[in-house]
Amino acid sequence: MKRKLIAAIGIAGMMVSIAACGGDNGDGGGKAKDGYAGQTLTVWVMDGSSPDKWQKDVAAAFEAKTKAKVKFEIQQWNGIQQKLTTALSEENPPDVFEIGNTQTPAYAKTGGLADLADLKASIGADWTESLNKSAVYEGKQYAAPWYFANRVVLYNKKIWAEAGIKDVPRTRDEFYDALKRIGEKTDAEPIYLPGQNWYHFVGLVIGEGGELVRKEGDKYVSNLDDPKVAAAMETYKKFQALSKAPKDKDEATPQQGEVFAKGKVGAIIGMGWEAGIAVKANPKLEKDIGYFTIPGATADKPEGVFLGGSNLAVAAGSKKQELAKEFLKIALSDEFEGRLAEENGVIPNKESLQSHLKGNPAAEAAAPAAAGGGTTPLIPEWAAVENEPNPIKAYMTAVLNGKSPAEAAKQVEGEFNKRLAQKQ
């Protein structure tokens, strides 16, 4: 499933009117003797996030339990920030809405999201911690984790067999050795790894236990000069040296799935849905595509990964907050969370539900890394950092072109800090 997480938010000045609305459960939000009969809950979900049958069955279960109806409204990722910002500042916002996990802190800071501490206590005790982190801001639960995805290794089984490799690697060193063997034993490019596949770099930083920013006084500044970040970049550089990919482009320029489709690349690091790009370009390749978890330093712990995904939130201005929470209890139940994972091949919010991914090789490869994954810094100030030209991409290219990690960090520090200092 292809979807973009939009991290740049720019929601300064939002929610002046919401503070006055608060969590009023009167006038349409209260529970009558016959449940919530006659009420309709508005739910915004993004295009492609939830199958039609899932929506239909959730709506039926919701009506059976509450006697209220739910109205799903499908939204597009393109332009959603401004549309949601505007909607949340109006008198009748959507009651429940899907929000990108890295967007959540900025909306929480402005007061746009209702506190869901009681929901966490009732149904979220076993939510996977790494997936729930983005739903928490300054210690409060402002959203609920819904579904996630992370990168895996997509490899060409035929090329690996030609190189005499029988088993998929379980450690970073085994992975590197396998790729080197491909370079020595075949005419294929061992790995296509462009110099600015920065979400994979973020995963390596997470794997090292590093942070991209640090706090100095009351502000955040670049932490690219940290030894843990440097170690992650050195790992990236080691693998990138086995690739012919440009050092100053990302995985979408050109689409690495289309490069992989030509059948001359041993592996790429990407999302599972990128296999679909390759198969569309070259249907004959489908039988040769395999997947495995990105190996970490040791066999017992996968490599760190960036966790992209979505949370579900309740508008602070909704007059139907209790009804909204009833909806979330159903949508996030083991039954419907498990079904979403099974039908869309996404990582569910509980490790116990990963059994629903069985039979989906890309999702099965992604799941083991989820518990140890993470995100970009969960601070509202982060949004501007990702805007092009992204200083982290510039840092990566500088290192790949010969600068030391410390020199490259110094080179982009000014722009990085300038963006972190922008008003939210």
Side-chain angles (χ1 to χ4, degrees):
M1 178 186 64
K2 183 176 181 179
R3 53 186 304 279
K4 277 194 175 182
L5 293 178
I6 307 173
I9 298 180
I11 49 179
M14 182 174 113
M15 308 303 157
V16 174
S17 64
I18 284 183
C21 294
D24 181 13
N25 290 318
D27 294 339
K31 185 177 181 181
K33 292 181 181 178
D34 54 351
Y36 298 91
Q39 298 183 39
T40 299
L41 195 76
T42 300
V43 179
W44 282 12
V45 292
M46 306 310 297
D47 185 27
S49 291
S50 51
D52 291 343
K53 190 175 189 310
W54 184 93
Q55 292 181 23
K56 182 180 179 181
D57 291 346
V58 167
F62 177 71
E63 186 170 355
K65 180 179 180 182
T66 66
K67 297 183 173 61
K69 295 185 182 298
V70 59
K71 181 182 180 184
F72 286 100
E73 296 186 354
I74 308 301
Q75 307 298 321
Q76 302 299 318
W77 282 107
N78 186 29
I80 188 58
Q81 301 133 267
Q82 186 57 49
K83 184 175 183 179
L84 182 57
T85 296
T86 300
L88 291 177
S89 66
E90 295 176 342
E91 186 175 349
N92 294 304
D95 301 296
V96 177
F97 52 92
E98 177 182 353
I99 185 172
N101 60 342
T102 58
Q103 295 175 346
T104 305
Y107 284 101
K109 180 181 179 180
T110 59
L113 311 183
D115 189 331
L116 299 182
D118 53 345
L119 185 78
K120 172 70 164 66
S122 63
I123 67 169
D126 51 351
W127 286 341
T128 303
E129 184 179 357
S130 61
L131 304 181
N132 188 52
K133 280 184 178 180
S134 67
V136 177
Y137 179 68
E138 293 187 341
K140 293 185 178 180
Q141 189 82 33
Y142 282 109
W146 191 20
Y147 68 87
F148 303 84
N150 54 263
R151 283 159 179 76
V152 298
V153 179
L154 292 81
Y155 73 105
N156 187 316
K157 297 178 186 177
K158 184 177 180 180
I159 290 174
W160 284 54
E162 288 176 1
I165 305 168
K166 297 181 180 179
D167 300 315
V168 297
R170 298 183 64 236
T171 68
R172 189 186 297 158
D173 286 344
E174 288 179 4
F175 185 23
Y176 182 78
D177 290 344
L179 295 177
K180 275 191 66 178
R181 185 176 178 86
I182 289 170
E184 294 166 355
K185 300 293 184 179
T186 77
D187 61 355
E189 181 177 1
I191 184 171
Y192 182 84
L193 182 60
Q196 296 183 347
N197 188 341
W198 81 281
Y199 279 119
H200 175 49
F201 169 63
V202 170
L204 295 176
V205 172
I206 292 166
E208 292 288 347
E211 298 284 351
L212 295 172
V213 301
R214 65 176 181 270
K215 201 164 189 180
E216 287 187 354
D218 60 351
K219 64 181 180 180
Y220 288 97
V221 299
S222 170
N223 197 44
L224 292 180
D225 60 356
D226 184 87
K228 293 179 180 178
V229 177
M233 191 59 222
E234 291 293 358
T235 296
Y236 193 101
K237 182 178 181 180
K238 179 179 179 180
F239 280 83
Q240 207 279 329
L242 298 175
S243 176
K244 299 175 183 176
K247 295 179 173 61
D248 60 351
K249 303 294 182 183
D250 63 21
E251 69 276 18
T253 316
Q255 284 286 348
Q256 63 177 7
E258 294 177 355
V259 176
F260 188 64
K262 296 175 182 178
K264 294 295 185 180
V265 171
I268 60 174
I269 293 174
M271 306 299 286
W273 52 258
E274 291 183 73
I277 296 175
V279 172
K280 183 178 180 180
N282 180 6
K284 294 180 180 179
L285 187 67
E286 184 171 11
K287 67 182 185 305
D288 294 326
I289 299 178
Y291 312 83
F292 59 86
T293 309
I294 305 173
T298 58
D300 60 335
K301 185 178 180 182
E303 186 60 84
V305 292
F306 172 79
L307 297 168
S310 284
N311 298 324
L312 289 175
V314 174
S318 169
K319 298 180 177 66
K320 303 172 185 174
Q321 290 191 19
E322 293 307 313
L323 184 58
K325 291 174 186 176
E326 291 300 320
F327 169 83
L328 291 178
K329 289 176 184 177
I330 292 170
L332 298 170
S333 66
D334 286 1
E335 176 187 356
F336 288 110
E337 184 75 5
R339 279 182 51 183
L340 187 70
E342 187 172 326
E343 293 176 39
N344 273 1
V346 291
I347 308 300
N349 61 17
K350 298 179 181 180
E351 290 183 63
S352 61
L353 297 176
Q354 290 182 4
S355 58
H356 289 271
L357 301 175
K358 189 173 182 179
N360 184 324
E364 286 185 290
T375 66
T376 48
L378 294 170
I379 55 175
E381 293 85 351
W382 180 258
V385 175
E386 295 191 22
N387 292 337
E388 294 294 342
N390 185 331
I392 297 178
K393 289 184 176 182
Y395 162 83
M396 296 173 68
T397 297
V399 174
L400 296 175
N401 282 334
K403 288 188 179 293
S404 71
E407 290 172 331
K410 189 68 175 176
Q411 177 178 308
V412 304
E413 183 180 78
E415 179 63 22
F416 200 132
N417 291 342
K418 178 183 176 181
R419 296 186 183 203
L420 287 171
Q422 288 182 15
K423 297 291 185 181
Q424 302 301 309

